[in-house]
Amino acid sequence: MVFKKVTYFPDNDSGNARFEYFQQIVTVEPMDMITAQYTGDLKKAGLSLFTFLYVDFLDTSGTLYALVSSMGYIDEDGNFPRSRQAFAADAISTIFGSIFGCSPVTSYIESAAGVEAGSKTGLTAVICAFYFFISIFFAPILANIPPWATGGSLVIVGSLMCRSLVKIKWYDPSHAVTAFITIMIMPLTYSIGYGLIAGMGCYFFLEGTFFLLSLVGIEKPVHLPPKEENVKEVKELDVKEGDVESDNDKEVEAA
């Protein structure tokens, strides 16, 4: 059996360069190369603006909705309190981030770790921002933490957030297939936005197909969920069976 060494500093040019950067421990990189580096090519700038618009919008929408849903703040209409302020803060952060050459400063699904820990106020974001500021000076250390050292926490958080999947209308093919495609595309493409685009495209395709089939007399197949009355009867039956089992256990113990 052959075992392969796992290291983030392999014995090659990239590994050696990474290790040399890691040895600096604390450093402050100059920002003159990234600050306010704008272009006069409006054609490329327009394409970039359009790309960032739909990717950032979909990423933010999907992330905020998932986080707020896990916190239980979604109302019957699918809205949550102060959503306008949340989207405005994200947009303003993106504008200021572009000045320093950063990728869109948007909400990330890693925030789910804090939500699952019980955070529900802006104080959590302020504390995280402070730690992010400190991390600027320790970039050589933090930049060399391997992905497999942090990926496990996201798996745990993702499994905890899966409880929201019970709200999907699994009995409706359009909703079920769309949800499945969305859930699968997100981890495969490392993008919430691509997952939402694939899900919406799948939904429109299925609804359009079912509409065309309805014109020729083929109805949309829908597997209705069990009625509440039947569910109540099953629950009552389970309770009665549990009472009978507990009575039998008491009789056995008495004997």
Side-chain angles (χ1 to χ4, degrees):
M1 182 178 296
V2 179
F3 293 94
K4 184 178 180 180
K5 294 182 179 180
V6 178
T7 176
Y8 207 49
F9 307 108
D11 189 13
N12 52 37
D13 293 338
S14 62
N16 295 332
R18 188 181 292 117
F19 184 71
E20 291 179 2
Y21 182 63
F22 173 75
Q23 288 180 314
Q24 297 181 26
I25 308 299
V26 178
T27 183
V28 178
E29 301 293 341
M31 301 181 62
D32 56 334
M33 297 294 293
I34 61 174
T35 304
Q37 296 295 319
Y38 297 112
T39 178
D41 190 345
L42 297 180
K43 183 177 180 180
K44 293 183 179 179
L47 179 61
S48 300
L49 286 174
F50 176 76
T51 303
F52 279 125
L53 173 63
Y54 79 82
V55 171
D56 190 19
F57 176 75
L58 293 177
D59 274 343
T60 302
S61 301
T63 302
L64 288 179
Y65 188 86
L67 296 177
V68 177
S69 177
S70 64
M71 297 167 66
Y73 287 161
I74 301 294
D75 58 21
E76 296 179 354
D77 298 327
N79 301 318
F80 59 91
R82 299 183 180 179
S83 58
R84 185 183 299 274
Q85 289 87 332
F87 281 100
D90 186 276
I92 295 174
S93 300
T94 302
I95 293 174
F96 278 96
S98 66
I99 298 176
F100 300 100
C102 298
S103 57
V105 183
T106 181
S107 53
Y108 283 85
I109 199 62
E110 284 80 0
S111 302
V115 172
E116 292 296 335
S119 62
K120 293 186 178 180
T121 65
L123 183 60
T124 304
V126 173
I127 295 175
C128 290
F130 172 75
Y131 283 116
F132 273 118
F133 174 75
I134 297 297
S135 68
I136 295 176
F137 305 100
F138 295 93
I141 296 177
L142 300 177
N144 287 287
I145 297 177
W148 52 82
T150 58
S153 60
L154 293 181
V155 173
I156 296 175
V157 171
S159 62
L160 293 174
M161 295 186 68
C162 282
R163 61 173 175 263
S164 299
L165 297 179
V166 299
K167 300 177 182 179
I168 299 174
K169 299 178 182 178
W170 293 106
Y171 55 85
D172 189 328
S174 297
H175 289 258
V177 176
T178 299
F180 176 78
I181 293 296
T182 304
I183 295 170
M184 293 302 298
I185 293 297
M186 286 182 183
L188 294 177
T189 60
Y190 300 97
S191 172
I192 295 177
Y194 291 154
L196 293 176
I197 292 174
M200 289 189 296
C202 177
Y203 179 79
F204 293 141
F205 173 77
L206 290 176
E207 285 296 308
T209 302
F210 289 135
F211 174 76
L212 295 177
L213 292 176
S214 65
L215 298 179
V216 295
I218 302 177
E219 298 295 333
K220 177 181 178 180
V222 176
H223 305 283
L224 295 177
K227 296 181 179 179
E228 294 183 1
E229 297 178 355
N230 297 336
V231 174
K232 291 180 179 179
E233 291 179 359
V234 172
K235 290 183 178 179
E236 292 176 356
L237 181 60
D238 291 340
V239 171
K240 291 180 180 179
E241 291 179 353
D243 294 338
V244 172
E245 291 179 357
S246 60
D247 293 339
N248 293 336
D249 293 338
K250 291 179 180 179
E251 293 178 359
V252 171
E253 291 177 358

